[in-house]
Amino acid sequence: MAFQQLDYLLLDDQFSEDERMVRDTVRAWVTERYLPLAMEHFEAGTFPLELTPELAELGVFGPTVPQEYGGAGMNSVAYGLICQELERGDSGLRSYVSVQGSLVMYPIFAYGSEAQKKRWLPLLASGKAIGCFGLTEPDFGSNPGGMLTTAKKTADGWVLNGRKMWITNGTVSDVAVVWARAEEGILGFLVERGAKGFSAPEQKHKFSLRASITSELVLEDVQVGKDALLPNVKGLKGPLGCLNQARYGIAWGGLGAAFACFDEALQYSKSRIVFDKPLAGFQLPQKKFADMGTQITMAQLLALRLGRLKDEGRATAAMVSMAKRNNVMLGLEVARTCRDILGANGISLEYQVGRHMCNLESVVTYEGTHDIHTLAIGQELTGIPAFR
Amino acid sequence: MKIVACVKRVPTTEATAKLAADGRSLDPTGWQYMLSFYDELAVEEALKTKEKQGGEVTVVTLGPSDASKEVRECLARGADHGVILKDADPAARDPRSTAKALAAKIKALGADVVFTGRVATDRDHAAVGPMLATYLGWACVGEVHALELGAEGGTAKRETEHGVETVTFRLPAVITCNKGLNEPRRASLKGIMAAKSKTIAEEAPLAVDTQTLVVKVELPPSRKAGRIVGEGAAAVPALITALKTEAQVL
């Protein structure tokens, strides 16, 4: 049976026919191909890498990149719907795709040379190469400007030194977008797998995003050529520009996780009989559903409006902060409430709610923590930065 | 090669059957629609034929304008053109009138081969494909589950109650597609984008009188609730008695 999301305000009408078709296509793929594997991979702490060619064929890697570079030239609303549907499956799946598109293909497309674009974008769009994004360091998360990784100019190129942490896809990447401090300011580099002094050991023992590969990037006197530099950006605006793309998708992703949990808890509570009637027939569950249904509907409106503004070129970073902050926290709270509605079954991986709940602890933290986005919105409203 | 796939949108499997006020039809309120399963096979076979033989695939449907969703999906999978023979109430037609309208359009398109589903999963007539072949005066290769098609003709396998038949035929032909023929592809996101620039023509279908008319629809009687006769081995005698006397199956 095809998944039907909550659509209390009939927002389906607000999407174009092709946007709905994109959503339904990805939705069907997730139901048929990903969900049957979700529990097993979450439990094993692995990502089903064998699905990469299918994901590429579906066209989810960098769908907003123009067709001449191997993308699909889609609008932002369609990209948001893709993220929503992937995260309905698992935040790890959405992360795998977000990193490839928003954090690797986007900077190459926006800041790269023509040669870099021609070489890497078709490989990344077709899944023949996997990429990762190295910004966060062990001691610098919310304050990336403090990064310790350095880039030193030499006669033939650059020498990179430092450590990056919490890097999605690192271990399996063919190319890493690494941000480093140079005399000229913060610069981005494309570091290829196998470069001498470069390694990407996997970080294990996570209780969240278990079906996603998380790695360290270790750079010890890594020599790269002049052509490894992303030539068209300098300063923190480079990585922050990428994050803005990814965070936009994550705002939709939080919604996808919420849809999955809400639907599972609703179905469960209609069929679970307690004291001779369905659980859904009691007032406490109904209050939970009324609250969640309202919050989900508001989050849908937020994502949709932001997407339309983005397609008009009017979305700002502060708007993206509001949507990421609200929709991911919404997803987490819905997951927690739904876990509760499922009672003891809620802690079983046979159901989805617990998996989403654990995953969203990462999502609410990465790409700008909930608190940092709070300060970004605070700054937008008051004009006074309160970060330090 | 000019290839046509005939498709029909049908209610999804989750749609509930409720009698309409006229007592002669079902109330479609709240229904969602999808491509009929066997028509998906027809579209896939049309696309595979195009990939092998070259040419163009036109998807033709008879139905309301809303069927553009299903036709657009075929275009996203790789079909080149879409045609909706616009009829707001296709359920009022009988298979003959549908087949005549389709035949007129297919003749006008100058098609070499037509693929249809074996049967539409809503009305269950399995009649439009063979009637279409008859009105066109073409070979009719029905219920095909394996096909080798060349520029002039082909060989097909069809399952019958007494075994598998292998038949050869010459083009032009109408081929009705059965389970096992292929695995329908998904639309890719690039395909969806490409479909945006393809056109779906809406035309009035040939006016044909319907010769048969549905006068009454009765829903199947609702099932009686089950009854637990007991538990474990001790319940077997009571179960056997019930199967003999009530269900009368022993």
Side-chain angles (χ1 to χ4, degrees):
Chain A
M1 185 170 143
F3 178 77
Q4 289 284 327
Q5 65 173 61
L6 173 72
D7 188 13
Y8 201 83
L9 284 188
L10 313 181
L11 289 172
D12 242 27
D13 300 351
Q14 301 296 311
F15 297 105
S16 67
E17 195 173 55
D18 51 289
E19 286 164 353
R20 282 196 296 267
M21 208 191 297
V22 166
R23 179 195 64 193
D24 295 346
T25 300
V26 178
R27 179 173 289 182
W29 185 88
V30 166
T31 301
E32 288 164 33
R33 303 292 298 151
Y34 189 82
L35 284 179
L37 309 174
M39 176 178 82
E40 181 192 316
H41 280 281
F42 186 90
E43 207 153 28
T46 51
F47 180 79
L49 285 167
E50 67 277 12
L51 293 180
T52 305
E54 280 184 48
L55 284 164
E57 203 186 311
L58 195 61
V60 297
F61 294 137
T64 56
V65 166
Q67 295 188 343
E68 57 175 309
Y69 297 114
M74 293 203 151
N75 70 7
S76 297
V77 170
Y79 176 60
L81 288 168
I82 292 170
C83 291
Q84 171 189 299
E85 293 308 316
L86 293 173
E87 196 138 2
R88 207 250 315 168
D90 194 274
S91 302
L93 173 64
R94 202 266 308 128
S95 298
Y96 186 73
V97 171
S98 282
V99 167
Q100 181 89 342
S102 292
L103 298 184
V104 182
M105 292 176 72
Y106 175 79
I108 294 173
F109 174 67
Y111 313 137
S113 66
E114 197 53 34
Q116 288 168 335
K117 289 190 222 182
K118 287 228 162 89
R119 177 174 172 207
W120 285 108
L121 292 179
L123 284 174
L124 292 158
S126 61
K128 289 181 184 132
I130 294 299
C132 68
F133 178 87
L135 176 67
T136 296
E137 299 188 354
D139 295 319
F140 294 92
S142 294
N143 175 21
M147 70 171 66
L148 299 176
T149 299
T150 57
K152 248 179 135 174
K153 211 170 194 168
T154 64
D156 319 319
W158 301 83
V159 175
L160 305 178
N161 272 293
R163 270 178 76 207
K164 301 290 181 182
M165 212 166 172
W166 307 115
I167 309 304
T168 300
N169 299 351
T171 310
V172 295
S173 280
D174 301 286
V175 62
V177 174
V178 172
W179 300 94
R181 179 183 301 289
E183 258 178 41
E184 295 84 344
I186 288 171
L187 299 175
F189 297 89
L190 301 179
V191 181
E192 291 183 44
R193 178 209 284 273
K196 200 171 162 224
F198 175 52
S199 61
E202 190 171 352
Q203 290 180 247
K204 296 295 239 178
H205 311 299
K206 298 173 295 172
F207 74 76
S208 177
L209 285 188
R210 288 187 54 75
S212 172
I213 296 158
T214 308
S215 319
E216 268 184 82
L217 302 183
V218 182
L219 301 131
E220 287 171 342
D221 290 326
V222 177
Q223 299 196 11
V224 294
K226 285 180 184 156
D227 58 356
L229 175 73
L230 292 173
N232 300 326
V233 76
K234 197 167 71 180
L236 263 188
K237 70 173 188 289
L240 294 184
C242 304
L243 291 173
N244 219 28
Q245 301 300 317
R247 288 165 181 168
Y248 164 76
I250 292 169
W252 287 86
L255 203 47
F259 284 143
C261 296
F262 182 87
D263 179 70
E264 183 165 70
L266 189 63
Q267 302 306 332
Y268 180 89
S269 65
K270 285 203 254 185
S271 62
R272 170 81 179 184
I273 306 295
V274 283
F275 301 109
D276 303 325
K277 72 172 184 181
L279 180 60
F282 291 88
Q283 290 183 346
L284 288 178
Q286 287 202 2
K287 172 164 192 316
K288 289 172 187 165
F289 284 120
D291 286 344
M292 288 192 292
T294 306
Q295 293 299 324
I296 289 173
T297 301
M298 290 185 339
Q300 271 182 291
L301 287 163
L302 182 53
L304 177 60
R305 175 65 182 151
L306 179 64
R308 293 286 178 234
L309 285 172
K310 193 161 157 54
D311 281 327
E312 291 166 17
R314 295 201 287 153
T316 64
M319 292 178 189
V320 173
S321 281
M322 182 181 276
K324 192 271 181 185
R325 175 179 182 269
N326 182 76
N327 288 15
V328 176
M329 188 51 92
L330 160 94
L332 179 56
E333 283 170 355
V334 165
R336 286 171 177 163
T337 305
C338 292
R339 210 259 0 113
D340 178 55
I341 291 172
L342 263 69
N345 283 316
I347 69 156
S348 166
L349 285 178
E350 298 282 350
Y351 291 88
Q352 304 171 54
V353 288
R355 182 164 52 79
H356 280 298
M357 187 185 78
C358 291
N359 281 338
L360 288 162
E361 291 290 350
S362 293
V363 183
V364 84
T365 305
Y366 73 18
E367 307 264 359
T369 65
H370 187 78
D371 286 351
I372 284 289
H373 286 300
T374 308
L375 298 181
I377 300 167
Q379 180 181 8
E380 175 74 7
L381 294 173
T382 64
I384 308 167
F387 294 97
R388 55 180 87 220
Chain B
M1 190 179 272
K2 284 206 166 168
I3 307 155
V4 168
C6 294
V7 303
K8 183 180 187 185
R9 70 165 206 170
V10 297
T12 56
T13 42
E14 292 101 57
T16 46
K18 220 177 75 190
L19 213 53
D22 64 7
R24 298 191 291 124
S25 58
L26 295 177
D27 178 3
T29 309
W31 283 1
Q32 304 277 322
Y33 294 88
M34 62 179 196
L35 272 180
S36 176
F37 167 77
Y38 296 98
D39 295 349
E40 290 204 45
L41 305 179
V43 172
E44 178 62 28
E45 207 56 28
L47 294 175
K48 280 170 69 181
T49 303
K50 173 187 152 182
E51 283 158 7
K52 253 197 222 155
Q53 305 284 336
E56 286 196 329
V57 174
T58 303
V59 171
V60 181
T61 192
L62 188 147
S65 293
D66 287 353
S68 68
K69 172 180 158 279
E70 284 70 30
V71 174
R72 185 74 63 192
E73 204 176 305
C74 299
L75 299 181
R77 290 181 197 194
D80 302 284
H81 312 285
V83 178
I84 298 176
L85 300 175
K86 208 170 142 187
D87 186 338
D89 188 17
R93 283 176 178 260
D94 62 4
R96 171 184 166 274
S97 118
T98 303
K100 278 212 155 182
L102 290 173
K105 181 64 202 172
I106 286 160
K107 225 178 251 172
L109 286 169
D112 301 297
V113 61
V114 173
F115 294 97
T116 72
R118 175 182 80 77
V119 61
T121 53
D122 55 352
R123 302 292 295 281
D124 219 22
H125 282 299
V128 169
M131 284 178 146
L132 185 57
T134 306
Y135 290 129
L136 288 166
W138 293 4
C140 178
V141 195
E143 324 231 334
V144 168
H145 69 267
L147 179 68
E148 289 293 329
L149 190 62
E152 305 290 325
T155 306
K157 288 190 177 181
R158 49 189 308 275
E159 218 165 70
T160 69
E161 283 175 11
H162 54 270
V164 174
E165 279 182 356
T166 300
V167 299
T168 62
F169 61 92
R170 295 189 63 78
L171 292 179
V174 174
I175 297 163
T176 80
C177 303
N178 204 354
K179 218 182 262 182
L181 179 59
N182 55 47
E183 190 65 44
R185 70 193 67 186
R186 285 189 182 85
S188 71
L189 304 190
K190 274 187 199 169
I192 294 171
M193 292 306 286
K196 281 172 84 167
S197 57
K198 297 176 185 172
T199 53
I200 299 177
E202 285 196 16
E203 300 169 14
L206 185 73
V208 186
D209 287 343
T210 287
Q211 288 183 332
T212 60
L213 196 67
V214 179
V215 291
K216 191 178 177 190
V217 173
E218 288 167 281
L219 296 180
S222 52
R223 276 193 207 172
K224 283 187 200 157
R227 182 163 65 85
I228 295 170
V229 294
E231 266 185 42
V236 172
L239 181 63
I240 288 175
T241 309
L243 290 173
K244 275 185 180 161
T245 57
E246 286 176 44
Q248 298 180 343
V249 293
L250 290 183

